[in-house]
Amino acid sequence: MAFLMKSMLSNQVKNLGLGGGGEENKEESTPSDPAAAAGMTREEYEEYQKQVVEEKMERDAAFAQKKAERACLRVHLREKYRLPKSELDENQIQMAGDDVGLPEDLQKMVAEDQVEEEDKDSILGQLQSIQNMDMDAIKEKAQATFTEMKQAAEQKCSVM
């Protein structure tokens, strides 16, 4: 309770202007020049600010480049799987200057995938996939399906 009273009274006294002198002294002691506040000369401070701005621009450019590379990858995947195009991805690629390509690692992966797909799509690839099938399992499954259909037909048809 005493704390509450003390804080209320001190706030009222500060509002009247009787106890607010301490804060004004603190403000007057801090320099208004940011270079002096940082402990540098004016020229050093300006050079520091230029470096900060240049570093920020470099980071932003690198970020935009990565963002465009990701958008390029998404566009490539959309084309590959015949998905609808995205305006946002195309805009990001254009903002990066249209000189964006897939990263080298992804280009290698895409090339390997294309070779595998071409092999699967060829006649030889189809023949190899037929050879790899388990013919016994397919034969058993076909016979089971045939017997199920025959039983269903016998139950429905009185002639059989």
Side-chain angles (χ1 to χ4, degrees):
M1 185 75 174
F3 173 74
L4 183 62
M5 291 298 289
K6 184 177 178 182
S7 65
M8 287 176 55
L9 286 176
S10 66
N11 285 340
Q12 293 297 328
V13 171
K14 286 180 185 176
N15 288 340
L16 291 174
L18 298 176
E23 293 178 6
E24 291 175 11
N25 290 337
K26 290 179 183 176
E27 291 177 7
E28 290 175 8
S29 65
T30 59
S32 61
D33 187 22
M40 299 183 222
T41 64
R42 188 78 165 148
E43 294 82 22
E44 290 174 342
Y45 185 74
E46 289 175 1
E47 183 66 29
Y48 172 74
Q49 288 299 325
K50 286 180 185 177
Q51 287 177 345
V52 168
V53 169
E54 288 175 5
E55 289 174 1
K56 184 179 184 318
M57 289 174 58
E58 289 174 6
R59 284 193 309 270
D60 290 345
F63 178 70
Q65 181 72 18
K66 288 288 186 184
K67 212 170 171 183
E69 286 177 358
R70 291 183 196 114
C72 186
L73 176 65
R74 287 191 296 270
V75 166
H76 175 74
L77 290 174
R78 284 192 178 101
E79 288 174 1
K80 180 178 179 181
Y81 295 109
R82 297 179 184 93
L83 298 173
K85 294 182 179 180
S86 171
E87 291 281 330
L88 181 65
D89 289 341
E90 292 175 5
N91 291 339
Q92 286 178 350
I93 292 170
Q94 288 176 354
M95 286 174 47
D98 290 333
D99 60 344
V100 179
L102 291 175
E104 292 178 18
D105 299 338
L106 294 175
Q107 287 177 352
K108 290 177 185 176
M109 290 172 57
V110 168
E112 291 172 3
D113 288 345
Q114 286 177 348
V115 169
E116 289 176 9
E117 287 179 11
E118 289 172 1
D119 288 343
K120 289 179 184 177
D121 291 341
S122 69
I123 294 174
L124 293 175
Q126 296 294 330
L127 289 175
Q128 288 177 352
S129 65
I130 290 174
Q131 290 175 353
N132 293 337
M133 283 194 250
D134 186 14
M135 295 303 281
D136 292 332
I138 293 173
K139 189 175 180 181
E140 290 174 12
K141 191 171 186 178
Q143 287 177 347
T145 305
F146 179 72
T147 55
E148 287 176 12
M149 288 175 42
K150 186 177 177 183
Q151 289 174 355
E154 286 175 355
Q155 290 174 355
K156 290 181 182 178
C157 183
S158 60
V159 177
M160 292 181 103

